[in-house]
Amino acid sequence: MMLNGKTAVVTGGSRGIGRAVCVALAQAGANLALIYAGNAEKAEETLQMLSEYPVQAKAYRCNVADFEETKAVITEIHKSFGSIDICVNNAGITRDKLMLSMKPEDFSTVVDINLTGAFNVLKQVYPVMAKQRSGKIINISSVAGLMGNAGQVNYAASKAGLIGMTKSIAKELAPRGICCNAIAPGFIATDMTEAFQDKPEVMNAIPMKRMGKPEEVAALVAFLASPMADYITGEVIRIDGGMAM
Ligand code: NAI
């Protein structure tokens, strides 16, 4: 129970990787404030899973792309839980198409949620952690942000931006003992990648010949959130079965 008494904010905690992250952090003893976009039923399912652990857990509906809405929700979380010790920026979407047919709104919507969304959350969390002089920030990027990907100009740009944001915040907050790292997953089996599951061309690109599990990403988040990772900051850790090496 290395995270006993800590409070974690996890965006996109209603399903997929975010849900697994909530469960892993609760297993380690953290209280959970999960943020989701709109599917209350899925958020309730995650809360049900968290009820197995002796931690506090609440779900908040919030569009992280909206600055004022995010400000109100994070302020409410801080008031209700008393601290914010771990922040996992995991909310994300794709809107894949080749550049030729990508509309400006396909680009801006993805960047607004994946990148500006993390900024909006961190704008509120940063002063809380800076004042506490402790905290762990974990941003969920993607191998697409490292390698680029045809059909993902918008998504890859947002995820590469998240890496730049991670390293800049790591440098700003290191003197206060706060760590900020990014995780770059490859193909992880969730709703987001349903269309790619078991496709031979996908499997051929992965040396381990399988997609990752949300729980495998969650274990890495739990490690980075723990005191075992106190000297790791500004790092980008791939978790991709060897795909991007
Ligand atoms: P998912 O589609 O299953 O879940 C996305 C989550 O983000 C949901 O909980 C949803 O409520 C939330 N969300 C979406 N828009 C939001 C908004 N405007 N405000 C607040 N919450 C919002 O996706 P998955 O696969 O679990 O992905 C989670 C993160 O991991 C994303 O950032 C994704 O880009 C990243 N990732 C996923 C990979 C994969 O293969 N599944 C690979 C690399 C990165």
Side-chain angles (χ1 to χ4, degrees):
M1 300 294 272
M2 274 196 296
L3 302 179
N4 243 343
K6 304 283 186 199
T7 294
V9 174
V10 179
T11 69
S14 58
R15 64 182 212 186
I17 293 171
R19 171 183 285 179
V21 166
C22 289
V23 171
L25 295 178
Q27 267 168 354
N31 297 316
L32 261 304
L34 72 94
I35 288 175
Y36 67 101
N39 193 334
E41 217 169 282
K42 288 276 176 196
E44 189 49 44
E45 275 175 30
T46 305
L47 288 180
Q48 275 298 323
M49 294 167 92
L50 298 178
S51 68
E52 311 247 321
Y53 305 96
V55 300
Q56 267 187 70
K58 274 193 204 170
Y60 298 81
R61 186 179 186 147
C62 169
N63 173 14
V64 293
D66 184 312
F67 182 80
E68 291 303 331
E69 203 177 310
T70 306
K71 183 178 178 183
V73 164
I74 303 284
T75 306
E76 168 63 28
I77 289 170
H78 188 214
K79 215 164 92 187
S80 162
F81 287 83
S83 69
I84 299 175
D85 307 289
I86 300 155
C87 177
V88 185
N89 285 301
N90 163 79
I93 62 159
T94 52
R95 200 172 273 186
D96 298 353
K97 46 190 79 154
L98 293 174
M99 182 69 172
L100 265 183
S101 44
M102 189 175 284
K103 298 192 178 73
E105 55 272 27
D106 295 323
F107 186 83
S108 56
T109 304
V110 168
V111 171
D112 285 353
I113 294 174
N114 297 7
L115 181 58
T116 312
F119 171 82
N120 292 341
V121 170
L122 290 173
K123 187 77 183 131
Q124 309 309 320
V125 168
Y126 182 117
V128 173
M129 288 185 174
K131 197 167 171 206
Q132 281 172 187
R133 292 189 160 268
S134 67
K136 304 277 192 185
I137 297 164
I138 297 139
N139 296 323
I140 308 299
S141 177
S142 165
V143 290
L146 295 170
M147 306 193 300
N149 201 17
Q152 291 199 310
V153 163
N154 49 3
Y155 184 77
S158 71
K159 294 300 188 179
L162 209 44
I163 290 172
M165 187 187 291
T166 299
K167 292 183 178 182
S168 303
I169 289 182
K171 284 185 175 171
E172 288 189 18
L173 287 179
R176 289 179 184 252
I178 295 155
C179 299
C180 181
N181 292 291
I183 294 177
F187 279 104
I188 308 299
T190 67
D191 292 346
M192 185 181 265
T193 51
E194 213 177 351
F196 301 98
Q197 278 163 32
D198 300 326
K199 286 217 161 157
E201 58 271 33
V202 169
M203 291 311 139
N204 286 339
I206 308 170
M208 283 191 166
K209 302 294 175 210
R210 68 169 177 90
M211 283 196 169
K213 299 177 197 149
E215 293 74 21
E216 291 172 321
V217 179
L220 178 54
V221 172
F223 165 70
L224 287 173
S226 79
M228 286 194 293
D230 274 354
Y231 202 53
I232 301 175
T233 198
E235 190 54 87
V236 184
I237 303 179
R238 283 190 299 111
I239 176 161
D240 64 354
M243 190 169 75
M245 69 179 152

